[in-house]
Amino acid sequence: MPSTVIVGAQWGDEGKGKIVDLLAQQSDVVCRFQGGANAGHTIVVDGETFKIRLIPSGIVSGKVCVIGAGVVVDPEVFLAEIDELGARGLDTDEVYLSGNAHLVMPWHVAIDQASERRLGKLQIGTTRRGIGPAYADKASRIGIRVQDVLDPKILRQKIEVALAEKNLWLERVYEVEPFDLTEIAERYEAYAQRLRPFVADTSLLVHRALEQGKHVLFEGAQATLLDLDHGTYPFVTSSNPVASTAATGIGIGPNRLDSILGVAKAYVTRVGEGPLPSEIPSPLQERICELGAEFGTVTGRKRRCGWLDLVGLRYATRLNGFTSFALTKLDVLSHFDEIPVCVRYLLPDGTETDEFPAHQSDFHHCRAVLETLPGWSEPLDGVERFEDLPPAASDYVAFVERELGIEVTLIGTGAGREQVLTRGAALERV
Ligand code: IMP
């Protein structure tokens, strides 16, 4: 399929980077279309680990990498990644940055941090990378865009106007140190010079690639249940990680998106605040956390772990129109006699539902109804073909497929690029 969108189906950290990396082997262009440096994509190639926050995961395979208009770009993080990847021998000449993307500026990070501190117990648990404040300025039409770095005068003027207001907020509302105009202006003018060569008309670039029949991957960041409009608001991110955003975030028509691959972990994790109905009780949760190395790539925070939530996945399937699924980290479940799966929610009024609650109170107070499936004890890291999975493991996959009505075409059995089982002609069909 010429174009494939890859989207997280849960609350993030499903292992999208690894799946993108695998599919990138057969692609020409890899694009990020939303989010920013709040993402943390981990890719392991030949025992070498790459942790990337902003640049598309396709960089590891030397693909053309596009950061679209829908992304918020922290220039400091972007340039540090370019330097680090370059130092590790990767070619970064074909990284393109949309002039329409907005910049995450230092005051966005400061406001994100100060606002979380101020919210105290009501905090969202953000990654504190300035994502929300940057998107807020974009919506208020006072943001600074990547194309502003092309003209030093405009850049300086915009920084000046922004700081005049942001410093007031920082000092008077959040009671933190303001920024020094001269220092910021000089630092960002230096970044601007380095950013210039990456700026491109990325909408046109992707359009042309598709016209030429090239294979384009759209790499989602965060995940469906963190979607600003459809996720578990307010415990969400400030962009729309759902698949349709790939079109708006890049600037192509939605009819150019051919297939949509949902990535789900074989269980579920969540960082930050907000309900997690299928949360596993202690001490089992700690065990899964340890087995799955469930610590945030960006923040190092421990992720909360729950059993696979089919209600959430059914909702994600509806929102994204998944055409197939990747089920990652199946190997982590190899250690249990029985594996509970959340098949329905018990609502506060005593009724049960297999559809995601439309009202926040129902979701906040629902309980997971679990069905217990048999486990397996064989490790999966050496399994090379889907057919060689222990029967209970393939039954687990079949159960998910039956419940969701979608084929699982990729199965993660370990951290390495090669530790993904593909089913049939999975790579052509995702
Ligand atoms: P923000 O995106 O930093 O504003 O954080 C908002 C919410 O999204 C918090 O609950 C974060 O933990 C969560 N979040 C943001 N990015 C990721 C991610 O890449 N993986 C998992 N959770 C994320």
Side-chain angles (χ1 to χ4, degrees):
M1 283 292 196
S3 83
T4 301
V5 190
I6 299 176
V7 171
Q10 296 157 323
W11 278 284
D13 310 310
E14 295 92 351
K16 293 179 291 294
K18 176 188 153 89
I19 300 295
V20 173
D21 171 58
L22 179 78
L23 300 186
Q25 307 311 306
Q26 297 159 15
S27 305
D28 304 292
V29 183
V30 183
C31 313
R32 277 278 308 267
F33 54 89
Q34 46 71 230
N38 48 346
H41 293 160
T42 305
I43 302 150
V44 183
V45 186
D46 297 331
E48 198 179 348
T49 303
F50 294 88
K51 289 185 190 254
I52 308 173
R53 284 153 55 183
L54 207 42
I55 296 180
S57 301
I59 192 74
V60 176
S61 338
K63 304 297 169 175
V64 173
C65 286
V66 169
I67 297 181
V71 177
V72 286
V73 179
D74 184 329
E76 205 164 337
V77 175
F78 176 81
L79 293 169
E81 280 189 356
I82 289 284
D83 290 343
E84 196 204 322
L85 294 167
R88 292 175 73 178
L90 297 178
D91 184 359
T92 56
D93 284 353
E94 291 231 70
V95 174
Y96 299 100
L97 200 49
S98 166
N100 288 355
H102 280 245
L103 294 179
V104 176
M105 299 298 283
W107 50 85
H108 294 133
V109 178
I111 290 172
D112 197 0
Q113 292 173 352
S115 138
E116 282 285 272
R117 264 199 308 277
R118 201 154 202 260
L119 282 169
K121 269 170 55 185
L122 296 177
Q123 67 171 270
I124 294 156
T126 72
T127 59
R128 303 190 176 203
R129 304 287 162 181
I131 305 300
Y135 275 117
D137 279 358
K138 171 180 173 172
S140 304
R141 291 150 298 171
I142 53 168
I144 301 181
R145 295 193 296 172
V146 165
Q147 60 182 278
D148 294 327
V149 308
L150 298 175
D151 184 330
K153 249 181 39 214
I154 292 182
L155 180 65
R156 176 117 194 169
Q157 200 180 38
K158 293 213 165 179
I159 291 177
E160 218 172 308
V161 170
L163 262 189
E165 187 201 318
K166 301 298 175 187
N167 272 346
L168 278 180
W169 274 92
L170 288 167
E171 276 185 287
R172 304 228 181 129
V173 178
Y174 294 117
E175 296 173 338
V176 295
E177 284 293 302
F179 288 98
D180 177 64
L181 172 63
T182 314
E183 194 273 317
I184 294 286
E186 277 171 13
R187 185 146 51 103
Y188 278 76
E189 276 157 16
Y191 291 155
Q193 277 194 35
R194 291 201 58 205
L195 283 180
R196 265 175 229 147
F198 296 99
V199 183
D201 184 345
T202 48
S203 157
L204 184 62
L205 189 154
V206 174
H207 169 78
R208 285 197 173 139
L210 289 168
E211 288 290 297
Q212 290 161 10
K214 294 204 169 138
H215 287 242
V216 180
L217 281 187
F218 299 91
E219 175 178 17
Q222 293 81 50
T224 305
L225 297 176
L226 292 171
D227 186 275
L228 181 59
D229 291 302
H230 304 287
T232 52
Y233 192 91
F235 305 107
V236 294
T237 191
S238 299
S239 67
N240 293 101
V242 292
S244 43
T245 312
T248 45
I250 293 295
I252 51 166
N255 59 340
R256 305 310 302 260
L257 308 175
D258 296 312
S259 54
I260 302 177
L261 173 68
V263 185
K265 225 176 253 190
Y267 46 102
V268 66
T269 58
R270 178 163 203 181
V271 274
E273 306 306 316
L276 179 61
S278 64
E279 188 156 6
I280 302 168
S282 279
L284 198 51
Q285 176 166 172
E286 284 66 35
R287 175 123 189 271
I288 298 231
C289 182
E290 208 170 293
L291 288 166
E294 296 297 354
F295 297 92
T297 311
V298 174
T299 59
R301 290 179 292 178
K302 177 187 165 300
R303 299 174 183 147
R304 288 183 282 156
C305 301
W307 299 118
L308 188 67
D309 183 343
L310 292 174
V311 182
L313 280 188
R314 192 170 292 114
Y315 181 51
T317 304
R318 164 156 49 104
L319 293 176
N320 291 290
F322 293 138
T323 49
S324 66
F325 256 115
L327 203 61
T328 59
K329 288 192 151 184
L330 190 62
D331 53 306
V332 174
L333 297 183
S334 281
H335 304 263
F336 304 95
D337 295 337
E338 294 182 326
I339 306 174
V341 176
C342 170
V343 288
R344 290 183 299 282
Y345 289 163
L346 173 64
L347 299 177
D349 68 2
T351 58
E352 289 188 4
T353 178
D354 58 8
E355 293 294 351
F356 202 79
H359 196 286
Q360 59 184 358
S361 293
D362 282 338
F363 179 64
H364 285 219
H365 298 110
C366 73
R367 294 222 313 267
V369 178
L370 300 172
E371 194 165 320
T372 303
L373 305 185
W376 60 93
S377 54
E378 302 89 330
L380 303 185
D381 48 2
V383 176
E384 287 181 0
R385 298 184 319 154
F386 183 84
E387 299 73 37
D388 299 333
L389 279 173
S394 51
D395 286 352
Y396 186 83
V397 176
F399 184 82
V400 173
E401 291 182 316
R402 258 197 323 277
E403 288 281 322
L404 300 176
I406 293 189
E407 198 180 5
V408 174
T409 51
L410 299 166
I411 295 167
T413 56
R417 180 189 275 169
E418 65 295 345
Q419 290 177 303
V420 178
L421 308 180
T422 57
R423 231 163 155 197
L427 295 186
E428 284 92 67
R429 284 186 292 122
V430 289

